[in-house]
Amino acid sequence: AEETLKQLRSELDDYGYHYYVLDKPKVPDAEYDRLMKQLLEVEEAFPELKTDDSPSVRIGGPVASAFKKVTHAVPMMSLSNAFSADDLRQFDRRVRQAVGDDISYVCELKFDGLAVSLTYENGLLTRGATRGDGTIGEEITGNLRTVSSIPLRLREPVSIEVRGEAYMPKRSFESLNKAKEEAGEEKFANPRNAAAGSLRQLDPKIAAKRNLAMFAYSIGEVDGKALTTHYEGLQFLNEIGFKVSQEAQECASIEDVIAFTETWTEKRHDLPYEIDGIVIKVNNLAQHETLGFTAKSPRWATAYKFPA
Ligand SMILES: COc1nc2nc(N)nc(N)c2nc1C
């Protein structure tokens, strides 16, 4: 039974990565469901063989009594804001003053969800937490384990902290509110509140039904992996199992960044999830060190906010 479970776990993990992370299903849904059913039956018969990284945790584990408070080793900062092309040019000037003219940027969609921090030890997800006030967050590991695009075990056994945005796709938000309305319950105001509300449930079986997802957007130090640019970091995140925005783009100049923000000011309405802006990051990681942080935000990034 142990070998069977090991085999089923690795098959379901691989199929889950192709389906939820790469959006390129490797097998028909029926095949995935058949294997999941088989896994659940074997775990039912041999509960002592259940593991934390088994895909069966996606349906939700035990109810938590309360959320533990956890401290973020590296504070989760907020982003400074830019509201116009001129604000972006000013950001560019400040960056150049500090690191010179050999720079490039990465533009990423700014997902409108809630920031989460994930800790992996030798590839295994051991802790998931909300941002909280940036220093103290809430431990919501059980809920985050139900999010299909959050890997339970990485494709490489690295020990890292990964940050990203948990969100609820627009379609899921609409059907959830329809169900709320039919049940005479109060509706959520927007997908961000719905995602936050879902992840604050003490019973992970509720979060498991909310069809949440997560885009990873930053990675901590990876021992043994020399990353030079932020863009390489995003590619590495995707390789080891995370959903990363495929719209992320390297931009050689702030004018290209401005063009990117103009494109997405319109195109965002076509996306299956809500974004509230574009995050612009200096690409070279050594320049992040030079630029550092203000009391609240990194100097090597800013968020262009779409006009309301
Ligand atoms: C470096 O810090 C951040 N980076 C981000 N990147 C994207 N794409 N979206 C976000 N919401 C985001 N938020 C923060 C605090």
Side-chain angles (χ1 to χ4, degrees):
E2 192 149 5
E3 264 319 298
T4 317
L5 281 178
K6 211 166 148 64
Q7 179 56 30
L8 282 168
R9 274 200 303 267
S10 74
E11 270 184 275
L12 285 161
D13 266 0
D14 190 41
Y15 298 160
Y17 174 64
H18 284 86
Y19 188 89
Y20 295 107
V21 173
L22 301 182
D23 290 336
K24 296 190 186 82
K26 204 170 178 180
V27 293
D29 295 8
E31 171 64 3
Y32 184 87
D33 296 345
R34 185 182 68 76
L35 291 171
M36 178 64 101
K37 190 167 170 296
Q38 196 183 340
L39 176 103
L40 291 169
E41 282 161 5
V42 177
E43 286 184 349
E44 184 79 29
F46 302 91
E48 72 284 359
L49 296 178
K50 260 187 89 145
T51 58
D52 269 354
D53 65 333
S54 166
S56 57
V57 305
R58 298 294 193 198
I59 55 180
V63 181
S65 50
F67 292 126
K68 242 174 19 157
K69 295 290 182 202
V70 291
T71 303
H72 297 295
V74 176
M76 290 180 76
M77 315 291 279
S78 54
L79 289 169
S80 60
N81 289 327
F83 297 96
S84 68
D86 277 346
D87 287 351
L88 289 172
R89 291 187 184 102
Q90 202 172 1
F91 168 72
D92 178 55
R93 271 196 298 279
R94 279 200 305 273
V95 167
R96 289 172 184 279
Q97 271 159 11
V99 297
D101 291 334
D102 178 18
I103 54 170
S104 77
Y105 293 108
V106 174
C107 285
E108 295 172 39
L109 303 185
K110 186 174 182 303
F111 313 106
D112 194 6
L114 73 155
V116 292
S117 159
L118 301 167
T119 304
Y120 289 82
E121 289 163 37
N122 303 316
L124 185 67
L125 175 61
T126 52
R127 192 187 91 176
T130 63
R131 177 180 176 283
D133 64 6
T135 306
I136 309 274
E138 287 173 324
E139 199 262 288
I140 54 167
T141 314
N143 284 338
L144 289 175
R145 284 203 166 105
T146 71
V147 179
S148 299
S149 46
I150 292 181
L152 298 168
R153 178 178 288 282
L154 301 178
R155 293 166 79 83
E156 282 184 34
V158 290
S159 298
I160 47 169
E161 190 214 345
V162 171
R163 293 173 176 181
E165 198 84 359
Y167 69 94
M168 184 181 289
K170 289 174 185 168
R171 292 250 310 256
S172 310
F173 170 67
E174 279 140 24
S175 56
L176 174 62
N177 263 354
K178 192 163 167 294
K180 289 265 176 197
E181 194 162 11
E182 281 158 8
E185 288 167 18
E186 192 178 346
K187 297 196 290 185
F188 284 106
N190 54 50
R192 175 168 38 80
N193 290 4
S198 302
L199 287 173
R200 287 236 174 77
Q201 300 287 335
L202 290 171
D203 178 3
K205 288 181 189 56
I206 297 175
K209 294 195 182 72
R210 294 291 172 80
N211 189 32
L212 299 171
M214 186 198 105
F215 276 116
Y217 55 62
S218 92
I219 184 165
E221 292 296 308
V222 189
D223 39 358
K225 181 87 186 167
L227 292 166
T228 314
T229 68
H230 172 70
Y231 196 74
E232 281 172 12
L234 291 177
Q235 289 173 314
F236 179 63
L237 281 168
N238 200 211
E239 283 158 21
I240 59 174
F242 292 95
K243 191 177 172 71
V244 167
S245 168
Q246 296 307 304
E247 321 299 346
Q249 190 175 308
E250 288 177 294
C251 291
S253 72
I254 199 66
E255 294 311 316
D256 291 353
V257 167
I258 289 164
F260 189 89
T261 60
E262 286 164 353
T263 301
W264 283 101
T265 299
E266 295 318 314
K267 258 177 93 175
R268 65 186 158 135
H269 302 300
D270 307 337
L271 288 167
Y273 45 79
E274 288 198 346
I275 62 172
D276 61 346
I278 300 294
V279 180
I280 297 104
K281 299 171 186 173
V282 168
N283 200 11
N284 179 283
L285 294 175
Q287 293 174 346
H288 289 197
E289 299 295 311
T290 311
L291 284 155
F293 295 82
T294 66
K296 283 191 319 125
S297 308
R299 286 199 189 87
W300 42 266
T302 192
Y304 170 77
K305 305 288 278 194
F306 293 126

